Amino acid sequence: MVLKVGDFKTDVHNDWCPGCGDFGIVNAIQMALAEMEIPRHQSAIFSGIGCSGKTSHFINVFGVHTLHGRVLTFAQGAKIANPNLEIIAVGGDGDGLGIGAGHFVAAGRRNVDMTYIIFDNAVYGLTKGQASPTLKLGEKTKSLPTPNINYNVNPIGLAIASGFTFVARGYSYDVRQLKDLIVAAVRHKGLAFLDVLQPCPTYNDINTRDWFSGEDRIDETTKKPMPRIYKLEDTDYDPVVHYSDETELNQKKTQAIVKSLEWDSKIPTGIFYKNELITPFTRRLTDKIPNYLENPSALQKISRDGKSITNIDKILDSLNVEKTKNE
Amino acid sequence: MATDFTWMIGGPQGSGVETAANIFSQVFSKMGYQIFGKREYYSNIKGEHSYFAVRISDEKIRSSVKGTNMLIAFDAETIFRHADDVLENGIIIYDSTLENMRVSDVITFENDFKDRLENLLKSKNKEATVKGMLDLASENGVKVHSVSFRSLLTELSEKLENPRIKNMSRMFNVLGVSLSLGLLMIPSEKLTDSVNSIFSKKKPIAEINVSAANFAYNYAAAKFEHNNLKFATKDIQDNTILVQGYYGTSIGKIISGCRFQSYYPITPATDESNFLETNEILEINEGRPGSTLVVQTEDEISAIGMAIGSSLTGVRSATCTSGPGFALMTECLSWAGINEVPVVITFYQRSGPSTGLPTRHGQDDLLCAINSGVGEFPRIVYASGNVSDSFYDTTQVFNYADIFQVPVIHMLDKFIASSVTTCERFDETKVNIDRGKLLEEITSDNYNRFAHTEDGISPRSKLGLENGIFWNTGDESDTQGHISEDPVNRVEKMDKRQSRLGYILEKIPESEQIIQHSEGDFCIVSWGSTQGPILDAIEMLKNDGIDIGFIEIKLLHPFPKELLKKHLSNSKTIINVEANYDGQLGSLIRQNLEKDPDYYILKFTGRPMTCTEIYDTLKKITNNNAQKREVLTYGA
Ligand SMILES: Cc1ncc(C[n+]2csc(CCOP(=O)(O)OP(=O)(O)O)c2C)c(N)n1
Ligand code: SF4
Ligand SMILES: [Mg+2]
């Protein structure tokens, strides 16, 4: 059966504000799933809490809408127990980089083979527009009583420092590029992070769609807006770590961090960093459990006719008082 | 006369007190004795005081007693802390070089303890030294044997022509236990056997320790004045095993088919995860090897989050923690509750509040386990009374989780975790696995995860199952699992989940909810690890011609109110026993039975109850001269 984008839509009413950047992201995820032809029951969307957290209800695959900040913990547990699942975790910038920041860093270190998408709108949407961890110091979005008093976190830089092995940025109004980035992220062998710039027309009146497309900066000569966003793939930027070598690795990591610092006048999107030479967690497990990939937790039979088939004789024998003899 | 002998060894953390106690326990278990040992230690890695008390008997024992028959000390602190615990006709073997150490030389004493100790010695006209302490013991009828541990090493070093041995003070532990076995004239090959088996992973170390053991053994046999204690070798009862307390839940998880455990390190829960990871690869009858996947997470929130995620794939999943970790898990626990996810939380309690007494015993998290979390949702709180029970109970809690589709909190504690005991080999044939309504296949195309059913429990799909797509959310949801704030749906969903509590009480066999150990006009009601000391105390009272009833409540939530009423109908006086300050089970009894227990026997020093203390207090109660609230304080 050929899967169409429509097959990945649910009939759940979508209650995001009109014009919200989240719509583009959901469309892109649905398009990516259709393009990769992943059977619906083999993939799952895990989401956090926030406007972004509702995403899992709009996509017609397994959907697990978890808790504020905890999405990565649930998602990794599922993936580790059943590595055959294709898992995409999604959530807000507050969810992933505020309350869930500890899990973000720990997930990077594990490098579980799955995808994590942050809907980066620089505000706490669902709680009515407070500053999120990605809002810049001194900025005052619509519903803030006073300007933001905290410095912003750099999601791309943090992901690289934490060990994510695929780090990219998308823009929610460029659905085609975003879809391609999601496909690349899902196909990546390791933990892929996608920071999606997502205008929140309701609460973020600074990083608006017009602002990203440069409506406020008209080119004197062409009389056209000068978009802030540009694509790394249109430059000669090479994000890939090609061989296992410290110089190569350090060069690719540092160039990505430096790139991620660009903001205001030019904002790069695309793949910043990609390294498949780091073993994913699921593979690392085979060092201690050799048959883990063929026989992971979820595929193991544990009983027959109501009786356990696990044999604990050896363990019990070693505790037997009579048998605790020297070897 | 039955043998009942308590041996204790103390020393700074890191000095091998536990190894010495393991040698002692193995020797006596191999001689056919029953063992009950307990370990006490500070929240510290090196230097603070720790001790191990091992009780041996030729009859069934399930707890420690008040008082020590033999104390082994190779540091001053052990003498200061425990010499006054040695009973009349008891024995102290100590390192003679410590004699002139003063109380003030021991830097690890708490100020309060130091003051109490100095006052005690002063009041008895003794100097504040080890010698003063030992004089006091001698006056109390204790036989004191002194030997320089250092000289023993020097002599051994000369004998073996190995100058390195001279400085191996880390073998003091083995010298100590061997001296005591020599004095007790235990067959020396049992000692050699045990030392070899304990050091079996490191041959050269085993050899040196065996030499040291035999040397000290022979020294004591030849030089110490003997007493008339005799320990005959007995037949080992069939199928006796010697276990550490946490083996019950660990091995229980393995046989139950728990294939995923996530955890964040915390005393006294970590040992279990460690055991599971050490024994990660599993032998499966007629199948390829299985495995328990053990994941150390970044915190307890992640530990339970991962366990829930894993459970959604159909895997029996668990996490193991203690109070502070459980406190962090409660939001996720509520999520598992609203989404009807089976997950097991093995809860090894210690003493709170906050980090409290991090390495000490307590049962003060009962109400926390029952009540913490967001909103109202069904859960099971189930407690085990001893190591062997904890094995069978572990296999049951996984069944409960699957059958009722609820989180199950399995209560244990530090007393169980760090005891060492002989018990009957766990019987695999008694273990059943029931996965409830977990689906392996779905053929229809209109599956609804939360479909209404007669018994209120819906067939459960799992991530990856064809035709089984579902949604979960921490918000209230409709039968598919999509968010719904509809008031009518809300009532239906609340009814569906909360009616589970009544259903649980109906379905779990009564014998698994409450155990009536004995009957009597005076009846103890208790839960968890107090079981052992209570049963031993009841035995002791029986010898005095007094019968005491004992009801152990295993299912603490939902609370088996009617069943408890029935069990209590013949008792006149109710005695609540538990290791906390408030009498938490007592408050459940008040709440559910509208009846205040007549007496409370409580202990919250962080040290487990001894049967002696319970016996003494029950005596007071039956003689009608006890307070309503009796607080136990024994133990260093
Ligand atoms: C533990 C907890 N604290 C607070 C909240 C309230 N809360 C709901 S959504 C949210 C912030 C959402 O912001 P973000 O993660 O950026 O997602 P967005 O709505 O912007 O997509 C907060 C604080 C909660 N649900 N849980
Ligand atoms: S508040 Fe902002 S992020 Fe939330 S739905 Fe509305 S526009 Fe989107
Ligand atoms: Mg946000």
Side-chain angles (χ1 to χ4, degrees):
Chain A
M1 193 179 87
V2 183
L3 290 163
K4 295 185 294 291
V5 177
D7 295 324
F8 290 93
K9 295 186 188 297
T10 61
D11 53 11
V12 173
H13 165 67
N14 190 323
D15 60 1
W16 284 328
C17 310
C20 173
D22 288 355
F23 288 104
I25 308 178
V26 169
N27 290 339
I29 295 174
Q30 288 161 337
M31 286 159 63
L33 290 172
E35 178 173 318
M36 289 183 286
E37 298 186 341
I38 300 167
R40 286 174 42 226
H41 68 276
Q42 279 170 20
S43 61
I45 309 286
F46 282 70
S47 58
I49 292 282
C51 300
S52 44
K54 297 179 182 172
T55 301
S56 50
H57 295 282
F58 307 137
I59 301 177
N60 198 2
V61 301
F62 285 98
V64 185
H65 184 190
T66 69
L67 286 164
H68 196 33
R70 314 303 169 204
V71 59
L72 283 175
T73 71
F74 286 67
Q76 289 170 98
K79 178 71 185 187
I80 299 169
N82 186 353
N84 300 325
L85 293 168
E86 203 55 75
I87 287 182
I88 300 177
V90 303
D93 42 2
D95 195 85
L97 301 166
I99 189 169
H103 305 308
F104 185 91
V105 172
R109 294 171 51 218
R110 280 188 201 101
N111 195 32
V112 173
D113 188 8
M114 57 180 219
T115 300
Y116 180 39
I117 306 176
I118 281 189
F119 296 25
D120 186 354
N121 56 9
V123 290
Y124 282 181
L126 196 61
T127 46
K128 301 195 184 298
Q130 299 83 357
S132 94
T134 59
L135 188 67
K136 306 279 182 283
L137 175 67
E139 285 188 342
K140 185 178 173 306
T141 45
K142 217 193 273 183
S143 62
L144 294 193
T146 55
N148 180 22
I149 198 166
N150 296 309
Y151 198 79
N152 68 295
V153 67
N154 170 355
I156 304 279
L158 185 62
I160 288 165
S162 307
F164 283 77
T165 51
F166 176 106
V167 181
R169 182 191 278 147
Y171 177 49
S172 64
Y173 292 112
D174 189 339
V175 177
R176 190 166 302 277
Q177 182 207 28
L178 187 54
K179 183 264 299 173
D180 288 343
L181 287 173
I182 294 171
V183 170
V186 170
R187 291 196 170 139
H188 172 74
K189 291 185 178 55
L191 181 57
F193 171 60
L194 199 48
D195 177 39
V196 182
L197 303 173
Q198 174 246 316
C200 163
T202 307
Y203 293 115
N204 189 335
D205 52 348
I206 298 174
N207 313 116
T208 60
R209 180 177 195 156
D210 285 354
W211 182 82
F212 281 114
S213 32
E215 298 291 339
D216 58 329
R217 358 183 263 176
I218 306 298
D219 188 318
E220 296 282 296
T221 47
T222 63
K223 305 284 177 233
K224 280 194 183 146
M226 295 186 292
R228 286 184 163 80
I229 287 187
Y230 74 100
K231 295 180 181 171
L232 288 173
E233 54 261 41
D234 295 340
T235 70
D236 59 2
Y237 183 88
D238 175 14
V240 179
V241 178
H242 291 287
Y243 43 92
S244 280
D245 169 81
E246 211 177 292
T247 324
E248 162 79 353
L249 180 68
N250 291 349
Q251 194 264 325
K252 292 290 156 63
K253 279 189 170 179
T254 35
Q255 73 162 10
I257 292 174
V258 171
K259 247 313 143 210
S260 73
L261 297 172
E262 290 180 7
W263 192 253
D264 279 334
S265 55
K266 45 181 195 145
I267 301 173
T269 59
I271 303 173
F272 283 66
Y273 173 77
K274 177 172 165 69
N275 184 359
E276 283 191 334
L277 302 171
I278 309 279
T279 344
F281 190 79
T282 32
R283 283 225 154 266
R284 285 177 211 163
L285 285 173
T286 59
D287 288 346
K288 48 179 205 157
I289 306 172
N291 74 353
Y292 162 74
L293 286 173
E294 307 94 71
N295 195 25
S297 304
L299 298 188
Q300 292 179 36
K301 289 251 167 313
I302 60 166
S303 63
R304 186 172 304 119
D305 304 326
K307 285 291 172 188
S308 175
I309 55 171
T310 310
N311 190 327
I312 56 169
D313 283 345
K314 280 212 182 96
I315 298 176
L316 292 180
D317 286 350
S318 74
L319 306 175
N320 223 321
V321 167
E322 290 159 313
K323 289 187 186 159
T324 44
K325 290 240 169 70
N326 41 0
E327 289 151 18
Chain B
M1 257 285 279
T3 302
D4 193 340
F5 188 82
T6 295
W7 175 93
M8 185 195 286
I9 188 163
Q13 289 264 73
S15 66
V17 161
E18 195 169 353
T19 306
N22 285 342
I23 294 171
F24 187 87
S25 307
Q26 277 207 14
V27 165
F28 277 90
S29 65
K30 281 176 211 235
M31 287 174 65
Y33 287 86
Q34 305 284 317
I35 308 289
F36 189 90
K38 66 167 183 192
R39 186 161 95 91
E40 285 293 339
Y41 52 100
Y42 276 77
S43 178
N44 158 270
I45 302 303
K46 282 204 188 316
E48 292 279 3
H49 179 64
S50 68
Y51 70 92
F52 213 121
V54 184
R55 181 182 176 202
I56 55 176
S57 173
D58 38 15
E59 287 174 359
K60 191 169 170 66
I61 43 169
R62 319 155 183 92
S63 64
S64 316
V65 289
K66 231 165 142 173
T68 303
N69 300 98
M70 186 180 227
L71 173 66
I72 316 302
F74 51 85
D75 74 335
E77 183 161 6
T78 299
I79 298 169
F80 284 127
R81 286 200 188 262
H82 304 287
D84 61 345
D85 190 58
V86 181
L87 300 163
E88 198 179 341
N89 300 322
I91 299 160
I92 296 178
I93 299 176
Y94 77 102
D95 183 349
S96 54
T97 58
L98 303 169
E99 229 147 73
N100 296 319
M101 293 270 289
R102 310 192 58 79
V103 173
S104 53
D105 293 335
V106 181
I107 51 172
T108 39
F109 284 148
E110 295 94 339
N111 286 335
D112 289 337
F113 178 76
K114 199 154 115 189
D115 291 349
R116 282 204 310 274
L117 187 61
E118 281 171 345
N119 287 339
L120 168 80
L121 289 165
K122 204 158 156 193
S123 71
K124 305 277 181 185
N125 285 322
K126 296 278 174 289
E127 51 178 310
T129 60
V130 164
K131 185 159 180 315
M133 199 71 200
L134 290 170
D135 285 350
L136 189 62
S138 300
E139 277 171 24
N140 292 337
V142 173
K143 175 74 194 158
V144 176
H145 296 280
S146 98
V147 50
S148 160
F149 282 48
R150 183 66 61 192
S151 310
L152 284 178
L153 281 184
T154 310
E155 285 169 38
L156 178 66
S157 158
E158 280 160 12
K159 189 180 147 206
L160 296 181
E161 294 173 3
N162 179 350
R164 281 176 47 235
I165 293 180
K166 234 178 10 218
N167 297 320
M168 288 182 143
S169 52
R170 62 171 178 280
M171 290 202 301
F172 280 5
N173 58 342
V174 172
L175 295 179
V177 62
S178 308
L179 286 167
S180 61
L181 295 173
L183 175 60
L184 297 175
M185 307 280 263
I186 300 308
S188 67
E189 70 277 7
K190 297 273 192 259
L191 171 61
T192 310
D193 273 8
S194 298
V195 175
N196 267 322
S197 107
I198 280 169
F199 294 101
S200 65
K201 294 221 174 74
K202 303 161 222 153
K203 266 265 142 55
I205 296 182
E207 271 168 31
I208 279 196
N209 276 285
V210 166
S211 309
N214 286 324
F215 191 72
Y217 177 95
N218 292 331
Y219 179 93
K223 302 266 172 72
F224 286 169
E225 182 191 326
H226 284 275
N227 47 30
N228 48 8
L229 282 168
K230 290 241 166 8
F231 295 92
T233 303
K234 299 165 185 300
D235 290 340
I236 297 173
Q237 281 169 21
D238 271 353
N239 288 327
T240 303
I241 54 176
L242 180 65
V243 289
Q244 306 273 340
Y246 59 90
Y247 286 5
T249 59
S250 309
I251 302 173
K253 281 182 176 177
I254 291 174
I255 195 151
S256 303
C258 170
R259 294 296 174 259
F260 189 96
Q261 167 134 323
S262 34
Y263 79 104
Y264 186 75
I266 188 165
T267 305
T270 314
D271 288 338
E272 191 206 77
S273 299
N274 237 324
F275 183 98
L276 289 175
E277 191 163 6
T278 309
N279 295 282
E280 207 162 25
I281 310 279
L282 307 171
E283 207 179 305
I284 304 298
N285 294 331
E286 303 155 42
R288 51 192 172 166
S291 51
T292 316
L293 202 56
V294 180
V295 185
Q296 183 188 328
T297 57
E298 58 273 28
D299 55 32
E300 285 88 351
I301 300 175
S302 182
I304 187 165
M306 279 205 196
I308 293 172
S310 163
S311 175
L312 293 176
T313 71
V315 173
R316 283 194 152 178
S317 308
T319 177
C320 183
T321 191
S322 182
F326 181 78
L328 287 184
M329 292 181 178
T330 55
E331 193 192 12
C332 285
L333 180 71
S334 324
W335 193 96
I338 194 171
N339 286 291
E340 306 184 34
V341 183
V343 62
V344 169
I345 301 164
T346 310
F347 191 155
Y348 275 98
Q349 296 165 98
R350 58 193 212 186
S351 245
S354 187
T355 29
L357 301 168
T359 57
R360 308 288 179 179
H361 170 61
Q363 293 183 299
D364 44 0
D365 290 326
L366 175 59
L367 295 182
C368 164
I370 291 175
N371 295 316
S372 47
V374 185
E376 300 158 311
F377 60 91
R379 74 181 94 187
I380 289 175
V381 178
Y382 199 74
S384 294
N386 65 44
V387 181
S388 174
D389 287 0
S390 78
F391 169 80
Y392 298 104
D393 292 348
T394 299
T395 68
Q396 285 298 7
V397 295
F398 279 98
N399 289 337
Y400 300 158
D402 270 337
I403 295 169
F404 303 111
Q405 298 184 13
V406 293
V408 180
I409 302 157
H410 185 192
M411 304 300 283
L412 301 120
D413 54 47
K414 191 264 166 179
F415 180 33
I416 291 186
S418 62
S419 58
V420 176
T421 162
T422 40
C423 66
E424 203 174 310
R425 185 184 168 111
F426 306 148
D427 185 355
E428 297 130 278
T429 61
K430 286 192 195 151
V431 174
N432 296 312
I433 292 187
D434 184 344
R435 304 233 46 196
K437 294 193 187 180
L438 177 66
L439 299 168
E440 290 303 332
E441 193 186 34
I442 299 176
T443 43
S444 76
D445 58 1
N446 58 354
Y447 174 75
N448 277 339
R449 169 68 185 92
F450 300 106
H452 290 287
T453 59
E454 203 146 304
D455 60 9
I457 300 175
S458 320
R460 180 163 69 98
S461 174
K462 52 186 174 184
L463 298 180
L465 188 63
E466 203 167 354
N467 298 318
I469 287 179
F470 60 79
W471 287 267
N472 283 147
T473 167
D475 288 14
E476 189 58 274
S477 69
D478 60 22
T479 54
Q480 278 186 301
H482 287 307
I483 300 173
S484 166
E485 299 191 16
D486 175 57
V488 175
N489 172 70
R490 166 69 173 176
V491 172
E492 283 173 8
K493 288 298 294 285
M494 284 301 288
D495 280 342
K496 177 178 192 290
R497 290 189 298 265
Q498 290 301 85
S499 63
R500 198 83 35 103
L501 292 167
Y503 187 67
I504 289 165
L505 285 172
E506 214 175 280
K507 287 289 164 187
I508 293 184
E510 290 186 350
S511 60
E512 292 170 25
Q513 300 186 17
I514 288 182
I515 298 182
Q516 175 110 38
H517 291 278
S518 57
E519 287 181 44
D521 285 351
F522 290 91
C523 187
I524 294 175
V525 183
S526 190
W527 66 285
S529 69
T530 51
Q531 185 210 66
I534 290 172
L535 287 174
D536 281 349
I538 288 177
E539 279 299 308
M540 292 159 76
L541 280 151
K542 208 181 256 160
N543 295 334
D544 299 349
I546 303 169
D547 287 331
I548 303 271
F550 174 26
I551 292 170
E552 178 190 350
I553 305 187
K554 293 178 74 75
L555 179 64
L556 291 144
H557 185 86
F559 195 78
K561 166 175 158 168
E562 298 305 328
L563 184 61
L564 180 59
K565 268 187 199 155
K566 209 166 80 188
H567 279 290
L568 278 173
S569 59
N570 293 323
S571 307
K572 297 201 179 77
T573 306
I574 302 176
I575 306 162
N576 174 221
V577 180
E578 36 185 336
N580 55 48
Y581 188 94
D582 284 341
Q584 300 191 8
L585 172 62
S587 80
L588 293 177
I589 295 172
R590 290 198 298 276
Q591 185 183 322
N592 286 284
L593 271 59
E594 287 163 38
K595 191 168 187 167
D596 189 12
D598 302 279
Y599 292 97
Y600 288 84
I601 304 179
L602 305 169
K603 187 167 185 176
F604 43 86
T605 55
R607 278 65 175 175
M609 294 185 191
T610 56
C611 56
T612 330
E613 285 173 290
I614 298 181
Y615 167 84
D616 291 344
T617 317
L618 289 174
K619 267 256 147 121
K620 270 166 63 178
I621 291 174
T622 51
N623 289 334
N624 205 15
N625 59 7
Q627 306 285 318
K628 182 173 177 82
R629 186 166 182 273
E630 287 284 336
V631 174
L632 312 181
T633 56
Y634 171 77

